[in-house]
Amino acid sequence: MSFEELVATEHAYHMNVYGRQPVAFVRGEGVRLWDTEGREYLDFLSGIAVVSVGHSHPKVVEAVRDQIGRLTHVSNLYYTEPQVLLAQRLHDLLGWGKVFFANSGAEANECALKLARRWGRRDGAERTGVVAVLGSFHGRTFTTLAATGQPAKHAPFAPLPGWFRYVELDDIAALDRAIDDGTSAVLLEVIQGEGGVRASSPEFIGAARRLCNERAAALVFDEVQTGLGRTGRWFGFQHYDVLPDIVTLAKALGAGLPIGACVAREEVADAFKPGDHATTFGGGPVVCAAALAVLEVIEQEDLVQNAERMGTHLVEGLQKATASDPGVTEVRGTGLLCAVQLDGDRAADVVTAARDRGLIVNNVTPSAIRLAPPLTVTEVEIERAVALLADALAAVRERPGG
Ligand SMILES: *Cc1c(COP(=O)(O)O)cnc(C)c1O
């Protein structure tokens, strides 16, 4: 199919929900992608922080091939070894917790909120509310959309579940007012991803922990984007001196295969009884084999440390390259989750200009460009990406009205 045919066929037969970039990829390897026209790109988005070990990592490919050829699916009516091993592995990484496997980030968050509701009734109390943060992103199901603190996304689908309250990021007084004896959970991203790579203050995260303890609510960290090495720690919350009751994971876990996980400390996890929650596909042998391989690669190749080192390199490189650009107001990031903040809504134009130069990034907000390369990225690749992005920024700036 030619690229033009592909686009026309998509428009005819796929629902029109994605504002897609005019490119179709056919192959990936490491930090590189190739499109239908044979053009090569540096991938500094990783499929939105998903392909953390790089495209088609040989160890992941081998694990998936091996498992799919032996056993693909039997349902959760039965035990399967990859699922059990992966649950144990996540427990060992955190040092605590029991796991439920879902198929996506949204589903992992659904599990977390259902579990918090169940745990909230542990002593005959009626804790049903959830406090979330403005600017957050938690998914697209009705409940995770309600949890997502972006009113513009709510409007077309109202009415949404009404048991959510929202506070501004880092507003401790508002958090204190919002959490009460009817609160089952406080749900937040320690670093907001879709919100534009915005890190919470340590004081805010500390206050969330203290208030949840005082008012018997569960503290839930959505680490769907920040988890598993992205920020230069295994978990984003390890930048803060705070432990959650529940943590959700997804994006990076399967390196592109659909898997999510909700991990809760044992006492909380045990609030679920048989029949309370389930999934047909979740935790299947193939995705769990992939995830086991992903975690092994991250560990063996020291990718958490690489993310920290390369992240520093990327932010410093971008700061240096944009120092004399008056349109860039900030370069921020933790590990390999970074954003370049512009003083106006030109991020989409910069993304296009970068793509024309062979660099994949995305406009996470109208005025911010997100960079989230695979954790395997090298210094040479970072230097190349910084040069390409600086060139793209300059090209957009020099346009009339740019
Ligand atoms: C992407 C994302 C989600 C939703 O994950 P899906 O797999 O798209 O359902 C939830 N929370 C955060 C923080 C995310 O970045």
Side-chain angles (χ1 to χ4, degrees):
M1 211 184 268
S2 74
F3 176 68
E4 289 70 25
E5 276 179 292
L6 199 157
V7 170
T9 311
E10 196 269 2
H11 285 184
Y13 299 113
H14 192 281
M15 291 190 195
N16 182 24
V17 289
Y18 297 115
R20 297 190 209 258
Q21 303 282 305
V23 60
F25 293 114
V26 291
R27 192 162 73 82
E29 190 186 312
V31 186
R32 289 187 157 64
L33 281 170
W34 287 268
D35 71 10
T36 45
E37 316 307 297
R39 280 201 61 193
E40 185 181 316
Y41 300 82
L42 260 185
D43 183 7
F44 266 54
L45 186 60
S46 330
I48 317 185
V50 167
V51 193
S52 52
V53 295
H55 292 279
S56 296
H57 192 290
K59 289 207 170 124
V60 178
V61 171
E62 189 195 319
V64 170
R65 271 207 185 111
D66 180 57
Q67 185 58 51
I68 207 166
R70 237 159 354 107
L71 183 70
T72 306
H73 178 82
V74 291
S75 90
N76 283 305
L77 298 175
Y78 310 96
Y79 297 95
T80 51
E81 191 172 275
Q83 181 183 102
V84 174
L85 288 175
L86 183 60
Q88 183 180 36
R89 187 80 184 87
L90 288 175
H91 168 101
D92 290 348
L93 276 178
L94 282 158
W96 47 269
K98 286 186 178 178
V99 186
F100 177 88
F101 290 113
N103 305 290
S104 65
E107 279 179 82
N109 286 332
E110 286 278 349
C111 175
L113 295 180
K114 282 182 73 178
L115 179 61
R117 174 73 62 84
R118 201 76 166 83
W119 190 60
R121 292 189 167 133
R122 62 194 171 284
D123 43 15
E126 191 61 13
R127 301 180 195 90
T128 57
V130 172
V131 176
V133 180
L134 289 167
S136 63
F137 183 81
H138 299 295
R140 297 288 200 158
T141 63
F142 269 113
T143 305
T144 57
L145 179 61
T148 293
Q150 301 185 43
K153 286 195 166 74
H154 293 180
F157 298 101
L160 294 178
W163 28 276
F164 288 88
R165 287 179 188 166
Y166 309 93
V167 301
E168 291 284 354
L169 181 70
D170 287 351
D171 188 339
I172 294 170
L175 193 64
D176 192 359
R177 285 192 299 274
I179 305 172
D180 62 22
D181 292 339
T183 303
S184 69
V186 174
L187 171 65
L188 59 86
E189 304 160 83
V190 289
I191 302 168
Q192 291 186 346
E194 299 307 303
V197 187
R198 297 201 305 159
S200 310
S201 70
E203 294 75 18
F204 184 68
I205 299 298
R209 179 69 278 175
R210 179 176 53 78
L211 292 166
C212 282
N213 288 350
E214 281 175 21
R215 294 166 207 175
L219 181 58
V220 185
F221 289 162
D222 177 346
E223 294 246 10
V224 167
Q225 188 153 163
T226 49
L228 305 173
R230 173 57 52 195
T231 69
R233 300 279 188 280
W234 271 104
F235 302 96
F237 70 76
Q238 291 168 337
H239 291 281
Y240 300 81
D241 194 18
V242 166
L243 290 179
D245 299 298
I246 303 175
V247 59
T248 56
L249 302 166
K251 290 193 164 89
L253 186 54
L257 274 79
I259 180 168
C262 172
V263 192
R265 60 186 184 80
E266 281 81 349
E267 184 202 339
V268 178
D270 288 343
F272 267 163
K273 302 297 174 219
D276 274 351
H277 199 51
T279 164
T280 299
F281 292 121
V286 178
V287 291
C288 288
L292 282 164
V294 167
L295 297 178
E296 199 176 303
V297 167
I298 294 176
E299 186 159 55
Q300 285 176 352
E301 298 184 13
D302 254 330
L303 295 184
V304 181
Q305 209 199 334
N306 193 60
E308 184 178 29
R309 283 188 22 245
M310 292 302 124
T312 303
H313 204 60
L314 179 58
V315 169
E316 286 177 1
L318 289 167
Q319 279 168 344
K320 212 167 134 207
T322 60
S324 59
D325 186 335
V328 173
T329 55
E330 186 187 26
V331 178
R332 57 179 175 266
T334 312
L336 285 170
L337 184 58
C338 309
V340 175
Q341 182 65 51
L342 309 176
D343 65 352
D345 290 352
R346 298 186 305 280
D349 292 339
V350 175
V351 166
T352 300
R355 195 183 61 244
D356 290 344
R357 288 160 176 75
L359 176 68
I360 300 298
V361 292
N362 97 310
N363 41 317
V364 65
T365 72
S367 63
I369 299 144
R370 169 174 47 189
L371 297 96
L375 310 185
T376 53
V377 73
T378 63
E379 242 175 79
V380 172
E381 287 160 340
I382 283 181
E383 274 148 32
R384 176 109 188 98
V386 167
L388 291 172
L389 189 62
D391 196 47
L393 284 161
V396 171
R397 191 175 62 236
E398 276 150 26
R399 270 180 218 162

